[in-house]
Amino acid sequence: MIHDMAPTVLAGLFAAAFGAGLIDAMVGGGGLIQIPALFGFLPGIGHASLLGTNKISSVVGTTFAAQRYARVIQIPWNAVWPATLMALVGAFIGAYIVTQISTETLRLLLPVLLSAVALYTFLRKDLGSVHAPKLSRSRERFFGACVGLAIGLYDGFFGPGTGSFLMVAFVVFFGFDFLAATAGAKVVNVACNLASLAWFAPSGHVIAWLGFSMAFFNLLGAQVGAAIAIKRGAGFVRRILLGVVLVLIVKTGWDSYSPFFL
């Protein structure tokens, strides 16, 4: 229970929640801060319960960020609505799967996927700088549904980096700029978190008091992050995305592969 945890543990988890909200509101990837913190500070708790607790915290910050973007950014709903609906399905299935099997294989793949995202973003200097949709409305809806299902499944199954993957997908495949992609990614991410909780909570895989306490700090971070991203624009978001992804490559690579060499 939360009141049994040492003050240093709570302080570390709350700081991680604030940092996750800050980064996630700008470029996604907050789970790669918050989830390792939960696993590191609470090693005796099962992985499904830690992932479920993370969803409680994340959904609050992500919902606020989505609302903040929606007030000032034109969200590309034609692609986002199908992606959101299918993400609900994918995330629910993924959350069920993670309670049944180990996530070790996916941990090994994550640094490779992030490296591909970083390389592509770095090589495409103009990526996400201009909002120039390149699909017809019907194709937007179809591919939006495909993206939502695939990334929703990943989010429910494991989760870290979901926001970043959504952003890059909207920019690369749909031609959106980074701000429109970020706004759309937040909407889809809210659906992912809610669908995952729909499985985790009834099956007992959440620490509710801890999740809601961390949600407060995640929300504070999201307020700051969304304000900075909107003020500074797409170019700034691209630079932050690259920096965050590079740090996450190092972090996830070390966590995944260091046991093989030590």
Side-chain angles (χ1 to χ4, degrees):
M1 298 295 293
I2 189 170
H3 54 269
D4 296 326
M5 297 178 185
T8 53
V9 170
L10 291 178
L13 291 173
F14 293 159
F18 179 87
L22 177 74
I23 295 299
D24 199 68
M26 288 193 286
V27 296
L32 283 160
I33 298 173
Q34 195 162 269
I35 290 177
L38 283 163
F39 275 75
F41 283 111
L42 304 173
I45 297 177
H47 70 277
S49 294
L50 295 178
L51 291 173
T53 301
N54 171 70
K55 293 301 181 185
I56 294 179
S57 175
S58 296
V59 74
V60 173
T62 306
T63 299
F64 167 82
Q67 293 174 334
R68 181 70 180 267
Y69 280 111
R71 289 200 296 265
V72 296
I73 302 294
Q74 182 62 46
I75 295 178
W77 290 112
N78 190 59
V80 169
W81 273 125
T84 301
L85 293 174
M86 294 307 296
L88 285 167
V89 177
F92 185 83
I93 296 171
Y96 165 75
I97 293 173
V98 81
T99 62
Q100 308 300 314
I101 64 174
S102 170
T103 59
E104 291 306 314
T105 300
L106 198 54
R107 288 178 187 269
L108 296 175
L109 290 175
L110 190 56
V112 178
L113 296 175
L114 287 168
S115 297
V117 168
L119 181 62
Y120 189 87
T121 304
F122 178 77
L123 293 176
R124 290 288 303 276
K125 303 296 184 183
D126 60 341
L127 188 69
S129 60
V130 177
H131 188 67
K134 54 189 180 182
L135 299 177
S136 66
R137 291 182 62 81
S138 60
R139 288 172 65 85
E140 269 193 354
R141 289 191 291 269
F142 173 75
F143 285 108
C146 292
V147 167
L149 180 62
I151 296 185
L153 184 65
Y154 165 76
D155 185 76
F157 181 65
F158 192 54
T162 295
S164 299
F165 291 137
L166 280 168
M167 277 182 60
V168 172
F170 280 138
V171 171
V172 173
F173 301 125
F174 296 84
F176 301 159
D177 65 43
F178 271 122
L179 284 181
T182 301
K186 294 303 150 211
V187 176
V188 179
N189 221 341
V190 170
C192 290
N193 289 330
L194 289 174
S196 299
L197 276 174
W199 174 262
F200 283 127
S203 59
H205 292 294
V206 296
I207 306 172
W209 285 103
L210 179 58
F212 284 114
S213 298
M214 292 178 67
F216 173 78
F217 292 92
N218 192 286
L219 175 59
L220 292 180
Q223 289 179 328
V224 176
I228 292 173
I230 292 169
K231 181 179 180 180
R232 299 295 296 273
F236 174 78
V237 172
R238 178 184 181 275
R239 293 192 295 273
I240 295 297
L241 175 64
L242 269 174
V244 169
V245 171
L246 288 173
V247 170
L248 296 177
I249 289 169
V250 174
K251 168 63 177 172
T252 58
W254 174 261
D255 290 344
S256 300
Y257 292 100
S258 59
F260 294 103
F261 302 101
L262 297 179

